[in-house]
């Protein structure tokens, strides 16, 4: 318990140091941080050294003062995107569900890389698609949302997926990387992805990109339909409405047309 308590105390103190920075005090010396946190100078200096090693704090050149580090920018972007998606997606997704009558999903891809479904607004029809695997890892090359995210992913990550042993989730047949690479290029060109029973038998879908404030694709918005009541032409007719909904959600994340995009 002593070791655990010491670790928790060190984390509490490190958080206190990070929290001592603010718009009114973006730069601070060891003495100033010690006074603000109530820690000794030696403890403050020791914790600052560790925070510097992790990029959370930076010592200014030719100075004994510190400021918050660049690693926090990436963490903040991740938190802001996730929180914004969770806070703002439901209204847009519900409107899209009401327009189409079908289940609407929201999906992200991490650095693993896997695709995860993080939210859904279910169809109210008796026969409907329901995501029972929210948060579960899904290979990104399977299904419209995954292929959409893979198409707009950084090239290094995309190529990492394409060098794997890619298999169909329904037939287990091997997928030719060259064919998939060409399909992903087509998705980038037209701005949406379509899946016809590729990941789940009996389910078809279409997905469009949701962009963040920097213009990068942060998520995929999808419509999932029982295959018995749709086909490719019907899904393609939904593409303009899908694009409008995805753009609406993108605007809520701070995206504006004309900004740099992937």
């Amino acid at each position: 318990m002593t070791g655990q308590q010491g670790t928790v105390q060190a984390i509490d103190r490190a958080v206190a140091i990070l929290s001592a920075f603010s718009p009114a005090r973006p730069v601070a010396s060891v003495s100033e941080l010690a006074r603000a946190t109530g820690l000794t100078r030696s403890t403050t200096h020791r914790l600052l050294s560790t925070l510097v090693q992790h990029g959370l704090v930076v010592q200014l050149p030719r100075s004994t003062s510190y400021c918050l580090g660049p690693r926090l920018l990436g963490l903040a972007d991740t938190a802001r995107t996730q929180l914004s998606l969770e806070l703002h997606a439901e209204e847009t997704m519900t409107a899209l569900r009401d327009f189409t009558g079908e289940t609407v999903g929201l999906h992200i891809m991490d650095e693993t890389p896997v695709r995860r479904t993080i939210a859904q607004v279910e169809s109210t029809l008796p026969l409907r698609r329901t995501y029972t695997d929210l948060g579960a890892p899904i290979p990104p090359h399977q299904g419209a949302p995954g292929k959409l995210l893979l198409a707009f992913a950084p090239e290094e990550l995309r190529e990492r997926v394409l060098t794997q042993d890619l298999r169909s989730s329904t037939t287990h047949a091997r997928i030719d990387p060259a064919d998939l690479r060409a399909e992903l290029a087509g998705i980038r060109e037209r701005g949406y992805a379509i899946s016809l029973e590729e990941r789940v038998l009996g389910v078809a879908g279409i997905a469009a990109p949701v962009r963040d404030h920097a213009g990068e694709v942060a998520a995929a918005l999808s419509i999932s339909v029982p295959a018995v009541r749709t086909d490719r032409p019907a899904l393609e007719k939904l593409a303009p409405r899908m694009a409008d909904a995805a753009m609406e959600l993108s605007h809520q994340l701070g995206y504006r047309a004309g900004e740099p995009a992937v």
Side-chain angles (χ1 to χ4, degrees):
M1 285 298 295
T2 301
Q4 293 177 351
Q5 289 174 344
T7 300
V8 171
Q9 185 182 57
I11 293 172
D12 287 341
R13 289 173 170 178
V15 171
I17 289 174
L18 293 174
S19 301
F21 293 97
S22 69
R25 182 169 51 202
V27 175
S29 66
V30 175
S31 297
E32 290 172 328
L33 291 170
R35 285 195 298 270
T37 58
L39 302 173
T40 65
R41 284 189 85 262
S42 60
T43 297
T44 302
H45 188 271
R46 183 172 67 253
L47 289 170
L48 281 169
S49 297
T50 300
L51 293 170
V52 166
Q53 291 176 11
H54 292 284
L56 299 172
V57 169
V58 172
Q59 185 174 359
L60 299 179
R62 299 178 299 279
S63 173
T64 58
S65 294
Y66 295 81
C67 65
L68 295 177
R71 188 171 183 183
L72 290 172
L73 295 174
L75 295 173
D77 275 346
T78 300
R80 178 169 57 246
T81 298
Q82 185 66 46
L83 289 172
S84 296
L85 284 170
E86 293 297 323
L87 288 171
H88 298 299
E90 184 175 2
E91 183 177 349
T92 299
M93 293 172 67
T94 300
L96 185 59
R97 187 278 310 273
D98 293 345
F99 178 83
T100 63
E102 305 294 351
T103 295
V104 175
L106 189 65
H107 319 263
I108 60 172
M109 186 165 68
D110 61 26
E111 293 293 327
T112 306
V114 296
R115 186 252 290 190
R116 300 178 192 273
T117 303
I118 61 172
Q120 69 173 328
V121 176
E122 284 189 58
S123 167
T124 58
L125 298 172
L127 178 62
R128 61 182 183 268
R129 163 70 155 126
T130 299
Y131 288 99
T132 58
D133 54 355
L134 289 176
I138 301 168
H141 67 281
Q142 297 174 354
K147 289 190 297 184
L148 186 287
L149 292 168
L150 189 58
F152 288 97
E155 183 177 3
E156 182 277 331
L157 188 149
R158 186 166 59 248
E159 290 301 317
R160 183 146 49 96
V161 172
L162 289 168
T163 58
Q164 297 175 3
D165 181 22
L166 304 175
R167 301 279 174 170
S168 165
S169 65
T170 54
T171 67
H172 304 295
R174 186 177 183 276
I175 297 172
D176 188 332
D179 292 341
L180 180 56
R181 186 178 284 106
E183 183 180 5
L184 297 178
I187 291 171
R188 288 193 297 275
E189 182 177 350
R190 65 177 174 267
Y192 62 86
I194 285 179
S195 169
L196 299 172
E197 300 187 82
E198 291 178 15
R199 196 180 81 81
V200 179
L201 289 175
V203 176
I206 182 171
V210 177
R211 298 183 182 275
D212 63 17
H213 67 286
E216 298 187 356
V217 174
L221 188 64
S222 72
I223 301 171
S224 293
V225 190
V228 295
R229 60 170 178 255
T230 195
D231 55 18
R232 181 175 291 275
L235 290 171
E236 289 175 342
K237 288 181 180 179
L238 293 177
R241 184 64 180 85
M242 274 288 302
D244 289 344
M247 185 59 70
E248 179 181 333
L249 188 50
S250 298
H251 287 165
Q252 293 177 19
L253 294 182
Y255 174 69
R256 294 294 179 267
E259 292 185 353
V262 175

